[in-house]
Amino acid sequence: MRQLFVLPLLALALVAQEPTPPAKPTAQRDAAGTVTLTCATPGVVIRYSVDGSDPGPKGGPYLAPIVLPAGGTVKARAYTEDRKVKSDLVEAKFDALPGAKALPATLVPCTQDRDFPIYDWAKRHAAVTKLTTERQASLVFIGDSITQMFGGAPHDRGQPGKDVWEKFYAKRNVANLGFGYDYLENTLWRLRHGELDGAKAKVIVMHIGTNNAGKNSPEDIAAGVRALLDEIHQRQPQAHVILMAILPRGPKPDAMRAKLDTTNKLLAQFAAPGKVTFLDIGAKFLQPDGSITREVMGDFLHPTAKGYEIWAEAIEPLLVKLLGESDR
């Protein structure tokens, strides 16, 4: 008869051991429009969104107050460190402050962690900030996964371009600030929180915006790129930026390609003598009929080793000139 009570007793024990969910976070905005999130439960990670989505375990971690003078909605949950237990949702809606203009999402800096567990966004941010500062990097690459997978430390995901990176950049004082899944607004957050501050950049190569193409207009994408350029010139005024046109994607010409073409025409207007060189190498990845082969882009988005060699060879003469290496 004792065996009849074994399973019920085990079930009761498991119920008793279920962890208590963290406390629901609180959100408060000050007179300047800055939102602060707090949680009464120690040791948790608050994850939040500003786009109306419910922040899941891969939501952006709250690492600093959220600048929101133009108003908007902040949603947040607290998670245990292992991301398995979450709090109830807090949803805070804020009106625009007097005189504040509504902003596109590309201009509202926020964090992300969509690629976890391939890599941890917050840990990479800390690591590249430290690396860039220690090296006082003179050459900096900025972008999303297309840039991250080119090469360079920290090696926190697959890098098909690693050998090409070593060939062209290992002997240079370089830092890779590419982050997989980054939107423009995520890159803007990173630059505003120290990633470039320790550099002594002569040249910055930036390729960013393709991830926004699925959710933002060409005009809003261009506004985000403009904001990044402004941030770069504020923090590294001596640097010359090579602004790359967004690479073509997809096996054949389609509506997305057309949208990127429109966007690139807007980005081309940001060229400025002595400050910004706009460089479009997209045609080098295309066949005569406009198609892309897996030989240069294995998934029709991220370059292969051959694709990265096309990129490196295309910018090399300009890099040599801008870095002053042609005088050696």
Side-chain angles (χ1 to χ4, degrees):
M1 292 294 292
R2 290 180 182 176
Q3 294 181 349
L4 296 177
F5 294 96
V6 171
L7 289 177
L9 288 173
L10 285 174
L12 287 172
L14 289 173
V15 170
Q17 292 174 6
E18 286 184 1
T20 302
K24 182 178 177 179
T26 60
Q28 292 184 322
R29 188 172 69 159
D30 63 20
T34 301
V35 178
T36 301
L37 301 178
T38 57
C39 181
T41 304
V44 298
V45 176
I46 299 175
R47 299 190 178 276
Y48 75 101
S49 72
V50 292
D51 63 0
S53 63
D54 188 332
K58 293 187 179 184
Y62 175 73
L63 303 175
I66 306 160
V67 180
L68 212 63
T73 299
V74 176
K75 293 185 179 182
R77 292 183 186 273
Y79 283 81
T80 53
E81 191 173 354
D82 62 8
R83 309 184 189 223
K84 293 181 178 180
V85 185
K86 63 184 179 181
S87 73
D88 289 336
L89 177 72
V90 62
E91 180 175 351
K93 297 181 179 180
F94 301 101
D95 295 329
L97 296 179
K101 297 181 180 179
L103 297 175
T106 54
L107 296 182
V108 182
C110 59
T111 66
Q112 65 99 349
D113 204 14
R114 290 180 291 277
D115 219 11
F116 183 85
I118 293 177
Y119 81 101
D120 185 298
W121 194 90
K123 289 181 180 179
R124 181 171 174 83
H125 167 63
V128 301
T129 300
K130 183 174 184 289
L131 181 148
T132 303
T133 300
E134 289 178 346
R135 292 185 180 178
Q136 297 185 328
S138 56
L139 173 60
V140 177
F141 284 72
I142 295 174
D144 49 40
S145 59
I146 293 173
T147 299
Q148 184 183 2
M149 294 166 70
F150 203 157
H155 303 288
D156 46 12
R157 72 175 302 155
Q159 294 178 321
K162 183 178 179 181
D163 290 342
V164 179
W165 182 275
E166 293 296 314
K167 174 183 175 182
F168 283 87
Y169 310 121
K171 294 182 180 180
R172 287 166 164 158
N173 184 18
V174 64
N176 186 336
L177 274 57
F179 281 60
Y181 270 106
D182 246 23
Y183 294 138
L184 288 155
E185 53 266 36
N186 308 135
T187 305
L188 185 59
W189 189 98
R190 294 193 281 115
L191 297 192
R192 288 187 178 176
H193 289 84
E195 283 192 8
L196 266 185
D197 292 356
K200 290 187 177 179
K202 290 183 178 180
V203 182
I204 293 175
V205 181
M206 184 164 69
H207 177 274
I208 191 71
T210 194
N211 289 332
N212 289 85
K215 69 187 187 81
N216 298 113
S217 68
E219 292 75 17
D220 287 353
I221 295 171
V225 173
R226 176 73 268 176
L228 289 173
L229 289 172
D230 291 343
E231 204 69 32
I232 289 169
H233 286 133
Q234 177 183 337
R235 298 174 184 278
Q236 297 289 316
Q238 76 288 343
H240 190 105
V241 180
I242 300 175
L243 175 60
M244 307 292 297
I246 301 173
L247 292 176
R249 56 188 291 182
K252 297 179 180 179
D254 58 9
M256 175 59 76
R257 290 262 201 105
K259 185 174 185 178
L260 292 179
D261 288 343
T262 300
T263 303
N264 284 332
K265 289 177 182 178
L266 296 175
L267 300 189
Q269 299 175 19
F270 299 149
K275 290 187 175 182
V276 180
T277 297
F278 177 76
L279 189 60
D280 188 348
I281 64 170
K284 296 180 180 293
F285 288 82
L286 304 178
Q287 296 297 300
D289 63 356
S291 64
I292 295 175
T293 67
R294 292 190 184 277
E295 186 179 12
V296 295
M297 286 186 179
D299 59 358
F300 305 115
L301 175 63
H302 299 90
T304 59
K306 182 173 182 178
Y308 281 113
E309 188 151 19
I310 291 172
W311 183 352
E313 289 178 347
I315 66 173
E316 183 63 13
L318 184 56
L319 281 182
V320 169
K321 179 182 177 181
L322 293 174
L323 289 170
E325 296 172 348
S326 57
D327 298 330
R328 294 178 183 176

